[in-house]
Amino acid sequence: MITASDIFAISSQKQFEKIALKVFRFQYENNLVYQEFCNFLKTDPHKVKSLKQIPFLPIQFFKSHEVVSNTNPIQETFTSSGTTGMITSKHLVTDVTLYEESYRKGFSEFYGNIEDYVVLALLPSYLEREGSSLIYMVKDLIELSNHRESGFYLHNHDELITKLIALDHAGQNVILIGVTFALLDLIEKHQFQLQHTIIMETGGMKGKRKEMIREELHEQLCKGFGVSAIHSEYGMTELLSQAYSLGNGVFECPSWIQILVRDTEDALTYIQDGKTGGINVIDLANINSCSFIATQDLGKKNPNNSFEVLGRFDNSDIRGCNLMVI
């Protein structure tokens, strides 16, 4: 039996691989969708001895199947954003405390104590629909910050501008989490010079603006907010964990997540560090759904296990977090 304490206490590569292989066998036995997929690939679970031998479930399965690894009641259903008529992904979560522990520990690992920050959220496209895992996380972080100034903003930009300036002048540490198009809208209304504020973009234009390459986007945001770097969050409906970039679009993972990069021409082959390919994510917090996800993101992995997101496969729909197309 694999427990949350096993997952979140990982401290070495050897430990990660040992638990990942246990999770693989558990999900092969208990997740009928994943088992059928593995069988289609003629994978013998008893012969899987390394991470690269584990089959990665294409992320599109979350649109067409119920991807669960137990029969417990569904506590939360997280859904992806999408335009009218688009089939959206559904992540059926049977233990939401795993998600809470994952994002709380992940945030703490990169940013320290949440109570040190006022958390402001500018996420209109997420707030205007139900089932957003990002909203669930940010709402909890706002409450955990224990600051009366923390909160969500929709289209009340003037109020947010006033608050950002006042908090920054007071020397208060602030994290502004925003969807890309809304952050751009904000700096078109006001040019800031912020010294105590972290700007964290969650990606995505949501059809509101033309997609931009990361370098151009971050240059505009740095100039508009008067900051030296733009932070980013890499997460998606189908995962229960996030990777973070503290600048320059280079993401790092907490200890229970790892990235592999597959060949774009052969999904079962992996490529060397520094080369561009499809991003496969191992998220061990996904123990009750599927921990081995082949995303539609393109990226490259660095020798120190950090990674960069470089775009999307051409035939995939534009949605989710950090969908910055080259």
Side-chain angles (χ1 to χ4, degrees):
M1 183 67 183
I2 305 131
T3 65
S5 58
D6 293 329
I7 292 166
F8 297 120
I10 290 172
S11 60
S12 69
Q13 179 63 21
K14 186 176 180 181
Q15 204 177 4
F16 182 92
E17 291 187 14
K18 182 179 178 181
I19 293 175
L21 289 169
K22 280 187 178 180
V23 170
F24 162 69
R25 294 185 192 103
F26 168 78
Q27 292 181 341
Y28 178 85
E29 292 170 5
N30 294 279
N31 185 325
L32 295 180
V33 172
Y34 186 55
Q35 184 182 99
E36 190 174 344
F37 175 71
C38 291
N39 290 344
F40 177 78
L41 295 178
K42 296 181 169 53
T43 301
D44 181 346
H46 301 292
K47 293 182 179 179
V48 173
K49 305 294 184 185
S50 71
L51 299 183
K52 289 184 177 180
Q53 292 176 314
I54 296 173
F56 281 74
L57 188 72
I59 202 166
Q60 300 94 312
F61 275 69
F62 283 83
K63 292 184 177 184
S64 54
H65 297 76
E66 294 189 351
V67 183
V68 289
S69 294
N70 59 41
T71 57
N72 297 339
I74 306 301
Q75 294 181 356
E76 293 284 340
T77 299
F78 293 131
T79 57
S80 63
S81 54
T83 56
T84 304
M86 183 185 291
I87 299 171
T88 57
S89 292
K90 288 187 177 182
H91 191 171
L92 306 177
V93 180
T94 60
D95 183 0
V96 77
T97 64
L98 274 170
Y99 182 44
E100 293 168 350
E101 188 167 1
S102 177
Y103 65 66
R104 288 171 184 173
K105 285 183 180 295
F107 180 91
S108 176
E109 186 173 318
F110 289 95
Y111 294 99
N113 189 346
I114 184 66
E115 292 188 1
D116 292 341
Y117 300 92
V118 167
V119 180
L120 303 177
L122 184 59
L123 300 164
S125 56
Y126 293 93
L127 270 179
E128 293 165 331
R129 67 177 184 83
E130 293 184 358
S132 167
S133 57
L134 179 63
I135 294 297
Y136 188 102
M137 176 180 80
V138 174
K139 181 175 183 290
D140 189 49
L141 292 177
I142 285 170
E143 291 171 0
L144 290 171
S145 74
N146 212 21
H147 278 280
R148 61 185 180 86
E149 301 283 1
S150 294
F152 284 99
Y153 288 80
L154 193 55
H155 302 295
N156 44 338
H157 287 174
D158 291 338
E159 185 182 342
L160 176 57
I161 289 167
T162 301
K163 178 163 283 191
L164 277 169
I165 293 170
L167 289 169
D168 204 71
H169 281 176
Q172 171 63 54
N173 292 327
V174 175
I175 292 184
L176 173 60
I177 303 174
V179 65
T180 303
F181 76 83
L183 292 174
L184 290 169
D185 289 347
L186 190 65
I187 60 173
E188 283 182 359
K189 292 197 75 171
H190 186 85
Q191 294 283 297
F192 297 87
Q193 284 296 323
L194 301 174
Q195 296 182 343
H196 305 284
T197 302
I198 292 171
I199 307 300
M200 182 186 295
E201 55 94 4
T202 66
M205 293 299 188
K206 307 300 179 191
K208 306 284 187 181
R209 286 172 176 259
K210 181 183 175 184
E211 295 288 333
M212 301 165 64
I213 62 169
R214 177 186 54 78
E215 289 83 0
E216 181 186 0
L217 169 66
H218 283 202
E219 184 181 351
Q220 282 194 29
L221 292 176
C222 281
K223 185 178 178 183
F225 286 105
V227 297
S228 59
I230 300 299
H231 294 219
S232 304
E233 179 256 5
Y234 180 80
M236 56 192 72
T237 301
E238 301 84 358
L239 303 177
L240 291 186
S241 303
Q242 297 77 31
Y244 290 100
S245 167
L246 307 189
N248 300 318
V250 178
F251 290 91
E252 296 189 30
C253 301
S255 61
W256 57 92
I257 312 177
Q258 285 194 15
I259 301 296
L260 299 176
V261 180
R262 67 184 186 272
D263 192 316
T264 55
E265 301 297 325
D266 179 2
L268 302 180
T269 301
Y270 293 96
I271 60 176
Q272 65 190 57
D273 291 348
K275 300 286 187 181
T276 300
I279 294 177
N280 284 2
V281 180
I282 303 174
D283 180 4
L284 297 180
N286 270 22
I287 179 112
N288 295 317
S289 53
C290 183
S291 289
F292 311 97
I293 306 296
T295 77
Q296 292 176 322
D297 291 329
L298 288 167
K300 64 180 180 180
K301 186 177 176 183
N302 301 317
N304 64 353
N305 287 327
S306 65
F307 70 100
E308 298 173 51
V309 182
L310 302 174
R312 302 277 288 177
F313 283 95
D314 290 340
N315 61 353
S316 61
D317 47 271
I318 300 295
R319 66 109 184 102
C321 299
N322 270 304
L323 311 188
M324 288 172 280
V325 177
I326 288 185

